[in-house]
């Protein structure tokens, strides 16, 4: 059933687990996530990146909403990485239940203004607002210690950011990266995460971790223990879909069905790791 992201994250906080937010690009991807959620009795978040929205448009959002409505477990539809005010304002009207205001490319001051502006509009529509503080790196093996630390979420700024913007969920930068982790493996600041959770509980906001692809079972557990309630997963599920596409022949019906199954298997595995399996 179509649910609210706030309810999903509230239940996750109460239950000490996390919900997966999976990036979707097309019908088969949407079906893969929903089928995994139903089989695993798990809540799930379907999220659309602005790039995917440019390609799939309103029909892609409608596809997510309709699949959520027909599902027997709670599903929500989320707009990921809103770096443009224009995109976010458009997203307010399309059926998303939550959105991410991504002002992480801005200065702290501008990020506050940008996030506050979109946050008040989204709240007037009853949507949950996620925003990022700090700056997520790509995989940069040669990052200096100073550069690495400059990108981390600062705890005092986080408090000011939450107070000033009224956000509901905070995407943290603790050394997590989009895409692949460096060969040396992830370097997550788990103590910082723990402190951020103490703050987030006090403020009534939920912690989000982007870049969950490439994290080991153990690190995922560590993050959940320290308060992460939403994991964003793109690279691993997309790779499963695309690897299957390129290896399953010429019959498009069969090709799409196989890709869907391949993606579904990865989504289901994540639901177990996140502890959301069996919670719906
Ligand atoms: O684009 C974002 C600016 O930094 C601040 O925007 O104050 O008009 O919401 P705003
Ligand atoms: P990964 O591609 O590392 O899974 O990150 C996904 C993400 O953060 C989407 O917003
Ligand atoms: Zn992300
Ligand atoms: Na990643």
């Amino acid at each position: 059933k179509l649910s609210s992201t706030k309810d999903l994250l509230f239940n996750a906080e109460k239950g000490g687990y996390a919900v997966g937010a999976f990036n979707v690009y097309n019908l088969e991807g949407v079906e893969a996530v929903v089928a995994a959620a139903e089989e695993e009795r798990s809540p799930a978040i379907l999220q659309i990146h602005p790039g995917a929205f440019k390609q799939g448009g309103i029909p892609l959002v409608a596809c997510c909403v309709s699949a959520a409505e027909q599902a027997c477990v709670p599903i929500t539809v989320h707009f990921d990485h809103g770096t443009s005010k224009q995109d976010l304002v458009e997203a307010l009207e399309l059926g998303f239940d939550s959105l991410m205001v991504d002002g992480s490319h801005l200065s702290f001051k501008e990020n506050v203004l940008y996030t506050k502006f979109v946050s008040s509009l989204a709240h007037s529509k009853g949507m949950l607002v996620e925003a990022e503080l700090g700056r997520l790196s790509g995989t940069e093996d040669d990052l200096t210690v100073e550069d690495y630390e400059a990108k981390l979420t600062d705890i005092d700024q986080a408090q000011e950011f939450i107070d000033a913007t009224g956000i509901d969920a905070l995407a943290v930068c603790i050394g997590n990266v989009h895409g692949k982790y460096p060969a040396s493996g992830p370097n997550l600041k788990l103590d910082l995460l723990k402190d951020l959770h103490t703050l987030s509980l006090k403020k009534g906001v939920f912690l989000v971790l982007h870049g969950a692809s490439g994290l080991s079972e153990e690190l995922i557990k560590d993050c959940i223990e320290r308060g992460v309630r939403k994991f964003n997963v793109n690279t691993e599920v997309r790779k499963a879909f695309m690897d299957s596409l390129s290896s399953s022949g010429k019959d498009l019906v069969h090709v799409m069905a196989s890709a869907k199954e391949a993606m579904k298997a990865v989504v289901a595995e994540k639901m177990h790791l996140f502890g959301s399996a069996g919670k719906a």
Side-chain angles (χ1 to χ4, degrees):
K1 48 201 175 294
L2 188 59
S3 183
S4 92
T5 305
K6 194 168 279 179
D7 283 352
L8 297 197
L9 299 186
F10 181 83
N11 290 335
E13 190 74 72
K14 212 170 49 183
Y17 61 93
V19 181
F22 302 96
N23 287 80
V24 293
Y25 298 80
N26 54 20
L27 168 67
E28 287 76 15
V30 172
E31 288 181 337
V33 175
V34 172
E38 289 186 319
E39 263 177 42
E40 302 303 329
R41 303 299 311 176
S42 171
I45 299 168
L46 294 163
Q47 67 184 6
I48 301 177
H49 187 276
F53 178 67
K54 265 197 184 71
Q55 171 60 25
I58 293 172
L60 178 58
V61 188
C63 170
C64 291
V65 171
S66 150
E69 281 168 350
Q70 288 167 55
C72 63
V73 291
I75 309 278
T76 75
V77 189
H78 175 85
F79 188 79
D80 195 23
H81 287 290
T83 48
S84 132
K85 198 182 284 180
Q86 196 183 333
D87 284 357
L88 284 165
V89 168
E90 188 180 359
L92 296 173
E93 309 296 333
L94 302 180
F96 291 102
D97 183 66
S98 50
L99 50 75
M100 177 202 189
V101 193
D102 183 354
S104 62
H105 55 291
L106 303 170
S107 69
F108 178 71
K109 251 184 161 162
E110 283 176 329
N111 191 356
V112 167
L113 290 174
Y114 178 53
T115 302
K116 191 175 168 180
F117 175 80
V118 180
S119 176
S120 60
L121 288 178
H123 282 153
S124 73
K125 303 269 177 194
M127 297 165 82
L128 172 138
V129 177
E130 170 188 334
E132 178 170 315
L133 187 61
R135 208 146 35 86
L136 229 65
S137 340
T139 303
E140 297 162 71
D141 275 307
D142 51 359
L143 217 57
T144 64
V145 176
E146 291 77 28
D147 283 349
Y148 170 78
E149 297 203 331
K151 294 182 173 197
L152 298 175
T153 306
D154 178 87
I155 191 95
D156 296 326
Q157 277 192 345
Q159 171 148 356
E160 193 182 336
F161 189 68
I162 293 166
D163 289 342
T165 59
I167 54 165
D168 310 289
L170 180 69
V172 298
C173 300
I174 57 162
N176 44 316
V177 306
H178 284 129
K180 279 203 165 102
Y181 282 88
S184 53
N187 174 13
L188 299 187
K189 296 281 184 216
L190 294 172
D191 290 345
L192 172 60
L193 181 59
K194 194 166 171 243
D195 293 343
L196 286 165
H197 192 219
T198 306
L199 174 69
S200 77
L201 284 175
K202 203 169 80 188
K203 299 289 179 188
V205 308
F206 306 107
L207 296 185
V208 179
L209 195 87
H210 285 242
S213 291
L215 294 181
S216 65
E217 175 168 4
E218 196 186 342
L219 276 176
I220 285 170
K221 280 217 172 75
D222 289 341
C223 289
I224 295 171
E225 260 172 38
R226 291 164 183 77
V228 170
R229 300 299 168 237
K230 172 175 180 273
F231 282 108
N232 281 18
V233 188
N234 182 28
T235 303
E236 280 187 57
V237 288
R238 189 189 56 204
K239 185 173 186 308
F241 191 89
M242 291 182 68
D243 286 354
S244 169
L245 276 189
S246 60
S247 69
S248 48
K250 286 187 177 157
D251 173 351
L252 192 53
V253 172
H254 172 72
V255 167
M256 285 305 197
S258 301
K260 183 167 116 183
E261 280 308 307
M263 179 165 160
K264 182 179 131 190
V266 178
V267 172
E269 188 192 316
K270 295 298 176 198
M271 288 166 167
H272 280 278
L273 294 179
F274 299 162
S276 66
K279 298 296 197 305

